[in-house]
Amino acid sequence: MSDAAATQGHAPVEPGSLPGVDNRKFGMWLFIVNEIMFFAAFIGLFIAYNNTPEMADLKEVIHANPLTGIIGTSVLLFSSLMVVLGIASIQRNSKRGLMVFLLFTILLGAVFLGIQYIEFSTLHHEGFELATSSATSAFYVMTSFHGLHVFIGVVWALGVLFVAWRRWFSPQRYEGVELFGLYWHFVDVVWIILFMLIYLL
Amino acid sequence: MTETHEVRDLQAPHVKWTKYVTVAVVLAVITAIEIGLALLKPLPPELTTALLIGLTLSKAMLVMLFYMHLKYDTRWYSLALVFPLFMVTVLFIIVLIAAANWNIV
């Protein structure tokens, strides 16, 4: 890579790359493709049990307090906005802006996990356990794996925040933020679908 | 590395922050409509379900196009999604047909 190219935020095409494709970003997309298939299996299972009496009992309890799902969805949607505003900040060389938006993202991710904990506690109190029925299993496995992804995202965001704090990102070099953003938005997209299946239908 | 390699931009596309905020407002409005449809139930159940699915897919598309930058990036990234989304659609159709005909307990 020439110095001139590096300072302008450009890099030579790596041998074997597709035109205009960043291999790291493409790799992230392929990982997301893998995750789509992963979540499709859980969502398919949930849909299969959606019209069973066991699922109706479970949803009756969940729908009794729709605020949990509404707040959780709002929190995740807002966190996605924080991530893209963080990217916009570092593009304008505002490292402080990037750090502030990453902090908000971490905070909102933690709030979402807290809401999920409250939801699980409520269901546990009402007698809906993982092994209560196939329907509850489908629900808990699907939502828990999504929660695990949010947790991984929060840990990843902490890592990105550390890198930002050490001032290793610049307007020419911030792929780490963008790759994290792709992951976080994907987790958001999954929740958009889960929100409809669990709270709206 | 040879000199014949062309240069390209590895960074995210530069999108104005106002566009990100506009997308967020649209997402919030769609979510509010979804919640209204689900809680108030002003329409027949079949129509409500169809609308909710449509609105949800619209939200997912908005996030992928504007926040994940598929609208601005090279189409190779979008092409990577075509086959898995086709497979997922087939899977869901099979599951829906099965769930409608079998008494799964």
Side-chain angles (χ1 to χ4, degrees):
Chain A
M1 185 193 306
S2 71
D3 289 340
T7 52
Q8 289 166 18
H10 292 73
V13 172
E14 294 165 35
S17 294
L18 295 164
V21 171
D22 176 355
N23 282 347
R24 287 160 295 185
K25 203 164 164 180
F26 194 63
M28 192 66 208
W29 272 110
L30 291 181
F31 171 72
I32 288 172
V33 163
N34 174 53
E35 292 281 274
I36 288 171
M37 302 311 288
F38 181 76
F39 274 104
F42 291 131
I43 293 171
L45 189 66
F46 186 86
I47 292 171
Y49 285 106
N50 200 38
N51 289 327
T52 60
E54 290 81 5
M55 189 63 87
D57 292 342
L58 179 69
K59 282 195 169 181
E60 194 179 328
V61 175
I62 293 171
H63 291 179
N65 183 17
L67 209 58
T68 319
I70 293 169
I71 295 172
T73 299
S74 308
V75 161
L76 266 197
L77 284 177
F78 197 60
S79 73
S80 267
L81 175 64
M82 295 295 103
V83 173
V84 284
L85 289 180
I87 290 176
S89 296
I90 193 64
Q91 284 174 337
R92 287 181 286 112
N93 201 23
S94 171
K95 288 162 190 168
R96 184 185 289 267
L98 171 64
M99 288 175 65
V100 168
F101 286 122
L102 280 172
L103 268 174
F104 271 114
T105 305
I106 292 162
L107 188 69
L108 292 167
V111 168
F112 179 85
L113 290 173
I115 289 169
Q116 195 165 48
Y117 175 78
I118 292 168
E119 176 109 292
F120 283 6
S121 299
T122 308
L123 292 172
H124 173 77
H125 185 71
E126 295 285 338
F128 293 100
E129 307 282 355
L130 178 68
T132 301
S133 67
S134 301
T136 57
S137 295
F139 168 79
Y140 276 117
V141 171
M142 183 177 75
T143 49
S144 301
F145 268 100
H146 179 267
L148 177 67
H149 278 73
V150 174
F151 176 75
I152 291 168
V154 169
V155 173
W156 191 347
L158 282 167
V160 176
L161 180 65
F162 175 75
V163 175
W165 174 64
R166 295 297 303 264
R167 297 182 176 275
W168 290 339
F169 290 128
S170 68
Q172 289 78 36
R173 188 180 175 188
Y174 56 87
E175 295 90 351
V177 188
E178 203 197 348
L179 294 181
F180 160 71
L182 284 176
Y183 173 84
W184 191 260
H185 299 313
F186 168 72
V187 172
D188 188 18
V189 167
V190 171
W191 183 254
I192 285 171
I193 294 163
L194 298 194
F195 174 66
M196 175 195 66
L197 290 172
I198 297 167
Y199 296 94
L200 303 180
L201 291 182
Chain B
M1 195 172 287
T2 63
E3 295 300 316
T4 54
H5 294 139
E6 62 187 47
V7 294
R8 66 195 162 90
D9 195 349
L10 285 176
Q11 309 296 343
H14 287 245
V15 182
K16 281 194 79 172
W17 66 271
T18 48
K19 181 157 275 184
Y20 289 139
V21 174
T22 306
V23 171
V25 171
V26 173
L27 288 170
V29 169
I30 295 175
T31 305
I33 294 169
E34 283 181 330
I35 293 165
L37 281 173
L39 295 183
L40 304 176
K41 302 187 193 314
L43 299 171
E46 294 80 9
L47 185 58
T48 303
T49 302
L51 277 173
L52 287 174
I53 292 171
L55 290 169
T56 295
L57 292 179
S58 306
K59 281 164 66 182
M61 284 297 291
L62 279 173
V63 172
M64 292 174 78
L65 286 174
F66 291 96
Y67 286 0
M68 298 174 90
H69 298 138
L70 281 182
K71 181 176 164 60
Y72 310 102
D73 275 331
T74 171
R75 293 204 175 168
W76 286 108
Y77 301 129
S78 306
L79 282 172
L81 290 170
V82 172
F83 182 68
L85 289 181
F86 170 74
M87 293 300 288
V88 167
T89 307
V90 170
L91 171 75
F92 286 171
I93 289 170
I94 292 170
V95 167
L96 283 170
I97 292 169
N101 292 290
W102 299 341
N103 187 20
I104 302 171
V105 179

